[in-house]
Amino acid sequence: MNEIRRGTLPTETFYERVGGEATFRKLVKRFYEGVADDPLLRPMYPEEDLGPAEERFALFLMQYWGGPRTYSDRRGHPRLRMRHAPFTVDRAAHDAWLRHMRDAIDTLGLDPEDEAEMWRYMVYAAGSMINTPG
Ligand code: HEM
C-alpha cells in the first residue's frame, strides 16, 4: 500500500507524473528566456538563435526523467561534462544558471515532493558541471 502514493502507479515515471513533454517544454522555455536576458550567460551560447540549444536541453531532460530517448538518438551519449568543457563554467556561471532554473521550476506548480526532487537534481548537476575555479 505504501508504495502507491498520490494515486499514482509505482511504475509511472517521474516524466509522466509531472505532466510529460509539455512540462519539460515549459520549464526549458522559461529557463532560456532567463538566459536570453543574462549578461553573463547569453554570450556563452555559441549560436545566434537559442532555439536549437533549447531543443537539446528539453530532449535531454525528458530522457533523463524517463521520457522518450530522442536526445540520445540525435546526440549520442550525453557526456555532459565533456560537452561543457569548451565553456567557462565557474561559480558565477553556475549561480546564474541555477537562478534561472529555480525561476523556471517555480512556474510549473509541481507537487512539492516532485519539485524538491527536480531541484535537488539541478543543484547536483550544476555543481558537477563546474570546470573553472573562482
Ligand atoms: C552550471 C552552469 C551551466 C552552464 C553555464 C551551461 C552552459 C551551456 C552551454 C553554453 C551550452 C551550449 C549550448 C548548446 O549549443 O547546446 C550547454 C549545452 C548543454 N547543457 Fe549546459 N550549462 C550548465 C549546466 C548544465 C546542467 C546542470 C545541465 C543538465 C542538467 C546542462 C545540460 C546541457 C545540455 C543537455 C546541453 C546540450 C548538449 C549537446 O550538445 O547535446 N547544462 N550548456
Side-chain angles (χ1 to χ4, degrees):
M1 284 304 243
N2 263 342
E3 70 274 19
I4 304 179
R5 291 177 298 144
R6 300 193 295 276
T8 62
L9 295 169
T11 52
E12 190 181 42
T13 62
F14 183 92
Y15 170 81
E16 290 165 332
R17 189 165 73 238
V18 300
E21 177 165 0
T23 296
F24 289 91
R25 293 279 177 198
K26 183 175 177 187
L27 174 73
V28 168
K29 181 168 184 289
R30 176 62 182 246
F31 173 77
Y32 272 102
E33 284 168 5
V35 169
D37 286 339
D38 190 301
L40 177 67
L41 294 184
R42 182 61 188 90
M44 291 176 65
Y45 286 78
E47 287 167 307
E48 180 77 23
D49 176 11
L50 287 175
E54 184 176 322
E55 177 72 6
R56 287 188 280 273
F57 192 29
L59 291 177
F60 170 80
L61 290 175
M62 286 159 57
Q63 173 170 315
Y64 176 83
W65 292 105
R69 303 202 42 89
T70 317
Y71 175 84
S72 281
D73 292 345
R74 294 194 188 160
R75 305 289 292 163
H77 191 282
R79 300 160 74 92
L80 284 188
R81 262 189 69 81
M82 187 200 77
R83 290 194 205 264
H84 287 76
F87 312 112
T88 301
V89 184
D90 58 11
R91 178 61 55 183
H94 161 278
D95 291 355
W97 192 99
L98 270 182
R99 189 155 26 81
H100 297 302
M101 182 53 69
R102 180 70 250 177
D103 182 57
I105 289 176
D106 284 344
T107 67
L108 297 178
L110 298 180
D111 173 290
E113 279 182 43
D114 292 335
E115 183 177 301
E117 186 173 349
M118 186 183 278
W119 178 240
R120 266 197 306 278
Y121 164 73
M122 295 299 181
V123 168
Y124 163 79
S128 77
M129 228 57 83
I130 293 175
N131 57 24
T132 307

